[in-house]
Amino acid sequence: MQTRILSFIALLCLSTALPGADRIQVFVTVLPQQTFVEQVGGPHVQVEALVGAGSNPHAYEPTPGQIARLAEADVYFGIGLPVEAAWMKRIRAVNPEIRVVDLSDGISRRRLEAHEHEHGHGAEPDHHHESDSEQDPHIWTSPPLVIGMAERIAGTLSEFDPERAAEYEARRADFIAELKALDADTRARLDRLTHRRFMVYHPSWGYFAETYGLTQIPIEAEGKEPGPRRLAALIDQARREDVRVILAQPQLSTKAAEQVAREIGGRVEVVDTLAADYIGTIRHLTRVLTSADE
């Protein structure tokens, strides 16, 4: 019996010495958030995104393995996506002690662009639809908004791990310096744009557009492919407004975007709002938009 007890104690000691055993266990909703937390937390956090690469956050269901890992997590950083509300009750059921921090708190939420639903140019749009009341959850597409998120992440990690608060603060400052440089460079490049309107299949770049004085024109209508009349109206609008680039996401169909591009002599560019390489994605989008002026 004594031998078994000593073996158990040895195994327990070994498990606590394993890599990651003393790290703060963090869940986030999407991959850009994972990058934000890793930038601030460094080697002292173990982060997993609920919605992984290639998945659509608007129709995602956590796997049993994720539920099991959520049961052991210390913190969940939300960002205001509907999937969070849909699953938070179950997450709290398996882990009543989990700290939930909504990074969208305090951010003024914009409305998703209204769709005209099959109305042609000059017709009265139908104002009785979901988009009129649906808030845009894609707040991370604006670098200045991410600065505020980094502040909250650093504060939360410091509460869990006060001995490393100074390190989290230093990493936060470095990350914010990167974000400010990104914002300044993006603003300088986009301020010179002549073509300030772009089409996008799914309206996920609204905060980016709002930050830099641009306008996104969505193709989809409430998550659905546009019908023939709506598509014809979009093509007419793109021609009138000299739209040259149409953005698409790898998680969604590009069929309608490609059809519009063919008709207007434009091009489809795939830019992933859910990519882990946040700074690289913003720089890539900026290059795509500025190339439309060339």
Side-chain angles (χ1 to χ4, degrees), residues 152-194:
R152 294 200 68 192
I153 291 167
T156 302
L157 297 181
S158 295
E159 290 175 13
F160 272 92
D161 187 11
E163 290 184 1
R164 296 192 177 105
E167 184 175 346
Y168 297 138
E169 173 60 22
R171 295 185 67 89
R172 175 206 65 81
D174 289 344
F175 183 40
I176 287 178
E178 285 188 75
L179 291 169
K180 286 182 175 179
L182 174 67
D183 175 52
D185 181 65
T186 303
R187 198 174 300 276
R189 292 174 183 274
L190 296 180
D191 276 352
R192 301 191 294 266
L193 271 188
T194 301

Side-chain angles (χ1 to χ4, degrees), residues 7 18 33 52 67 71 75 88 98 130 163 166 179 190 220 226 230 252 268 276:
S7 298
L18 289 173
Q33 288 176 277
I67 294 295
V75 189
M88 194 51 63
I98 193 170
E130 181 182 358
E163 290 184 1
L179 291 169
L190 296 180
E220 71 166 21
R230 169 66 181 160
L252 302 171
V268 174

Side-chain angles (χ1 to χ4, degrees), residues 25-81:
Q25 302 299 307
V26 180
F27 256 84
V28 297
T29 305
V30 291
L31 286 169
Q33 288 176 277
Q34 179 173 331
T35 298
F36 306 157
V37 176
E38 289 173 343
Q39 286 293 311
V40 175
H44 310 303
V45 293
Q46 177 73 41
V47 193
E48 180 175 344
L50 191 69
V51 183
S55 298
N56 182 352
H58 300 285
Y60 186 77
E61 294 190 5
T63 66
Q66 286 179 316
I67 294 295
R69 290 188 294 279
L70 278 161
E72 303 299 322
D74 299 304
V75 189
Y76 189 108
F77 286 108
I79 203 160
L81 281 165

Side-chain angles (χ1 to χ4, degrees), residues 4-22:
R4 289 182 180 178
I5 293 173
L6 290 174
S7 298
F8 175 77
I9 293 172
L11 182 61
L12 183 62
C13 292
L14 178 62
S15 67
T16 59
L18 289 173
D22 62 343

Side-chain angles (χ1 to χ4, degrees), residues 170-289:
R171 295 185 67 89
R172 175 206 65 81
D174 289 344
F175 183 40
I176 287 178
E178 285 188 75
L179 291 169
K180 286 182 175 179
L182 174 67
D183 175 52
D185 181 65
T186 303
R187 198 174 300 276
R189 292 174 183 274
L190 296 180
D191 276 352
R192 301 191 294 266
L193 271 188
T194 301
H195 298 86
R196 307 195 67 81
R197 298 171 73 86
F198 60 90
M199 280 192 169
V200 57
Y201 179 77
H202 177 68
S204 56
W205 289 105
Y207 292 94
F208 178 91
E210 194 171 78
T211 297
Y212 300 109
L214 309 177
T215 301
Q216 70 170 359
I217 303 167
I219 290 177
E220 71 166 21
E222 297 178 2
K224 300 175 183 177
E225 289 276 342
R229 284 189 294 171
R230 169 66 181 160
L231 193 58
L234 283 166
I235 291 168
D236 287 344
Q237 182 180 5
R239 287 171 175 159
R240 288 195 314 273
E241 298 177 2
D242 197 20
V243 171
R244 299 185 177 186
V245 64
I246 301 163
L247 303 181
Q249 290 181 234
Q251 300 87 2
L252 302 171
S253 170
T254 61
K255 180 180 176 183
E258 290 168 351
Q259 187 170 348
V260 174
R262 283 195 301 270
E263 293 294 333
I264 68 172
R267 70 183 191 277
V268 174
E269 293 280 357
V270 177
V271 186
D272 190 2
T273 55
L274 300 173
D277 181 7
Y278 179 75
I279 289 177
T281 298
I282 297 297
R283 292 195 186 283
H284 173 52
L285 174 58
T286 302
R287 288 193 298 270
V288 165
L289 295 175

